[in-house]
Every structure is written in structure tokens, then in C-alpha cells.
Amino acid sequence: AEEVVDLGQMCAAVIERFRGGASVTSAPVAVTCEAAPVALRVQGDGLMLQEALLNLLTNAVVHGGPDVSCIHVRLRAEDGHAHIEVEDDGIGIATEDRALAVGSFRQAQAGPGTGLGLPIAVRVAENHGGRLSIRDCETGARIAIVLPLAENV
């Protein structure tokens, strides 16, 4: 259902849900969130956007390796788009594996799960006029969903 989604509120709700037991590991993983000082709103399906972010958080834990200890969610605006970045301190995704990581039923490294987490997030981003990108970072993985900001809301 189309609605105006406040991404800051959505991120807070998804992180709370993730911390509340949706985690797929017994080891504690700290999740922090850094949000833009102004409300960032997009037009779209709030439930699907929540699922896409939850998939990124779950993916960080499942595929980040045994030493993942923290996930940082960063929400910012740039050039009329909202950027939701999820960065972890795990093993990362090698440049040559990035296309494989976003393909359906595929995984950059064999592991638990269906291989649909990132492809679903890609589809959700595209259905909202945006995109998903795997970005370079010094340690771990950084995955961003980029969405056009809603105008005049």
C-alpha cells in the first residue's frame, strides 16, 4: 500500500524488532543507528521497506562470519535521495562476489538461508524507484538502499 514512510521511524522500528529476537545468532551483535537531523520521507510500501532493511541486518549476521560484533545503520540524504546504509564489521563481500550476492538463490559464500535476502532487498528498492548497492569499506560489508525522497510531504 502506497504511503509516506518516515525512514527514521522505520529504521528505529526495524532495529528494535531485530534486537528483540529476530536475530539469527546466539552471539550478541550491537546495532547502532545514525540518522539525519531532519525527517527523511519516501513514498512507498512501509512493510516492504521494513522487510528490505530487516533482510540487510539479518544478512550481516548470517553472512558476516563468526566475528561480527556490530552493525551500524546510517540514514542520510544526498541529491534528492535517501541513503540507508548498513555496515558491519564482518568478513565483507569481495568485489568479484558482489553480483553473485544479489542474484536470486545465490550466495557469495555458502551459508544458511535461502539466498533471497539481498535479491528481495534489491527488488524492493527497484520497486520504489531506487537501487541497492554494495559499497567499498575498510572492514566488513556496506550495503546501501538508495530511494528517491518524497517531495512536499
Side-chain angles (χ1 to χ4, degrees):
E2 282 281 312
E3 59 186 312
V4 175
V5 179
D6 181 312
L7 293 178
Q9 291 176 354
M10 183 204 77
C11 286
V14 170
I15 290 168
E16 207 51 46
R17 182 172 149 203
F18 183 75
R19 286 180 182 148
S23 180
V24 289
T25 179
S26 56
V29 176
V31 183
T32 59
C33 184
E34 175 187 336
V38 296
L40 300 181
R41 295 183 178 93
V42 298
Q43 192 77 31
D45 184 323
L47 285 176
M48 293 308 299
L49 291 168
Q50 287 180 39
E51 287 306 311
L53 178 56
L54 188 61
N55 282 351
L56 297 189
L57 294 172
T58 302
N59 192 74
V61 172
V62 171
H63 298 290
D67 297 327
V68 171
S69 63
C70 66
I71 302 169
H72 185 67
V73 179
R74 186 178 303 108
L75 180 59
R76 62 185 177 82
E78 182 179 302
D79 297 329
H81 288 79
H83 293 248
I84 307 168
E85 293 181 337
V86 176
E87 186 173 336
D88 65 62
D89 64 349
I91 59 175
I93 302 171
T95 304
E96 60 272 17
D97 291 336
R98 290 179 181 176
L100 184 63
V102 296
S104 295
F105 304 107
R106 316 281 297 268
Q107 295 177 346
Q109 286 133 0
T114 60
L116 289 173
L118 289 183
I120 287 171
V122 168
R123 180 63 55 90
V124 170
E126 290 173 349
N127 287 349
H128 287 80
R131 67 186 185 281
L132 179 141
S133 62
I134 300 174
R135 300 179 173 175
D136 293 329
C137 63
E138 291 183 24
T139 61
R142 180 187 298 157
I143 301 175
I145 294 176
V146 181
L147 304 167
L149 288 166
E151 295 180 17
N152 306 316
V153 292

